[in-house]
Amino acid sequence: MLSRKSFMISSCLAIATLLLAPSFACVAQKKAVGLQLYSLRVDLPKDLKGTIEKVGKAGFSQVETYGFSIKDQFWGLTPIEFKKLLAANGLTAVSNHFSLGSYLSDGNTSELKASIAAAKVLGSKYVTIPYLDQSIRKTAADYKKIAAKINVAAKMCKDAGLRLAYHNHDFEFEKFGETTGYQILLNETDKNLVDFELDLYWVARSGNDPLKLFKQNPGRFTMWHVKDMDKTNPELNAEVGTGSIDWKPIFAAAKLSGMKYFFVEHETNYKPNPIESVAASCDYIKKNIL
């Protein structure tokens, strides 16, 4: 027989466990560090299997793909073969950068449909637009046309059980009168359908404040690209924690942003080499930010 005191203590501990469980789950989710595979674009085509193995060993558990084509798929592997390779190394493809240039320029949906199909096979959450060709983004009216096409594509993604996201560089922040291309995309796309993947390096490089964007557009930035800016030359990347971007207040505002996933990315100025640079960023984030 339990004493009344023992019963009360046991009950309180049980209740506390239930109350704390969601918080622990949230923390665990945020400790999943992803990698945009474009960081390793030189190595992947030469040794796909070996490079993916290194990604798993470097401490990443999620990836964002790039480079898919209808002809070559993922460097010669079908989506199902590529998914098996990722799984063998403890990785999942949460998001994919698909080149949707033909759809955004002339409305041809074949590339978009193939991308959606590949994402479904991979078990991904997102189809992400990585870039806009300069020829289709010259005016504010162009950005409004792009936003309309993004809404249509996002509906197709939703029907397939996916989300569509848009990834920025710095050109979106160029002014068109009192607005910018980025603000047009935020305003003209359906909040219920379209998410944004905020590349924090390009936001800083363009002279904008990510915290201000979070406050103005809460919940819309469900994914981030995390790459640091070299302290002496802003045109170059740096391993996270060695550059000029203050990461702690940005991560502290993750809930306001709506961030669910983030991906380390490194494109230039590797020290000493691509895989060791992204591994150093991953290690810093786990030890000093999360």
Side-chain angles (χ1 to χ4, degrees):
M1 292 289 289
L2 284 173
S3 69
R4 184 174 183 276
K5 182 177 180 181
S6 297
F7 175 80
M8 291 298 291
I9 292 173
S10 299
S11 299
C12 288
L13 287 172
I15 292 170
T17 300
L18 289 171
L19 290 172
L20 289 172
S23 298
F24 286 138
C26 181
V27 171
Q29 182 184 19
K30 288 190 177 181
K31 285 189 177 179
V33 182
L35 175 69
Q36 166 48 257
L37 291 176
Y38 186 72
S39 308
L40 307 177
R41 61 195 176 279
V42 174
D43 299 327
L44 278 166
K46 297 177 182 177
D47 181 11
L48 179 59
K49 184 175 181 289
T51 303
I52 294 299
E53 287 176 354
K54 290 178 182 177
V55 172
K57 291 177 180 178
F60 297 98
S61 56
Q62 298 171 343
V63 300
E64 182 174 55
T65 73
Y66 82 99
F68 173 81
S69 72
I70 295 175
K71 179 184 177 183
D72 297 322
Q73 307 285 288
F74 291 103
W75 301 282
L77 295 187
T78 65
I80 193 166
E81 291 170 335
F82 188 56
K83 181 181 181 180
K84 288 179 180 178
L85 175 60
L86 292 175
N89 292 281
L91 301 167
T92 58
V94 175
S95 174
N96 308 273
H97 276 198
F98 290 124
S99 177
L100 302 181
S102 62
Y103 168 72
L104 292 171
S105 60
D106 58 28
N108 187 327
T109 61
S110 59
E111 196 174 49
L112 173 58
K113 290 177 180 177
S115 298
I116 290 173
K120 287 289 290 180
V121 172
L122 287 175
S124 301
K125 305 286 187 182
Y126 284 92
V127 167
T128 302
I129 298 171
Y131 184 77
L132 298 177
D133 291 334
Q134 188 173 6
S135 61
I136 65 171
R137 53 173 168 87
K138 295 180 178 180
T139 67
D142 286 342
Y143 274 96
K144 289 186 178 183
K145 291 177 183 177
I146 290 166
K149 288 181 177 179
I150 288 176
N151 283 333
V152 174
K155 179 62 167 59
M156 292 173 64
C157 288
K158 181 181 180 181
D159 291 343
L162 298 163
R163 296 284 295 179
L164 184 137
Y166 178 85
H167 164 270
N168 67 282
H169 289 78
D170 60 345
F171 60 77
E172 293 92 342
F173 296 97
E174 294 174 4
K175 287 278 191 177
F176 294 101
E178 295 300 315
T179 190
T180 65
Y182 201 62
Q183 195 59 52
I184 292 170
L185 293 178
L186 283 164
N187 291 343
E188 298 286 329
T189 52
D190 187 336
K191 294 180 180 180
N192 296 316
L193 295 175
V194 180
D195 291 343
F196 285 78
E197 179 177 61
L198 199 66
D199 190 307
L200 293 157
Y201 164 82
W202 284 114
V203 172
R205 174 87 177 270
S206 68
N208 286 276
D209 181 0
L211 298 178
K212 185 177 179 181
L213 285 171
F214 298 165
K215 291 174 184 176
Q216 293 173 340
N217 308 276
R220 294 211 73 183
F221 307 104
T222 56
M223 294 187 292
W224 296 349
H225 271 191
V226 177
K227 56 177 182 270
D228 219 331
M229 182 185 295
D230 187 83
K231 290 180 179 179
T232 57
N233 184 353
E235 295 184 5
L236 299 178
N237 295 162
E239 288 70 23
V240 175
T242 68
S244 60
I245 297 176
D246 188 359
W247 292 104
K248 288 188 177 180
I250 295 174
F251 272 84
K255 185 176 180 180
L256 179 63
S257 163
M259 187 268 279
K260 297 177 181 177
Y261 308 99
F262 69 90
F263 306 94
V264 167
E265 187 180 36
H266 202 123
E267 298 183 65
T268 62
N269 198 35
Y270 299 99
K271 295 178 182 178
N273 58 53
I275 189 63
E276 291 191 34
S277 287
V278 297
S281 290
C282 180
D283 186 60
Y284 178 86
I285 291 168
K286 286 185 174 182
K287 290 181 178 178
N288 298 282
I289 297 177
L290 295 180

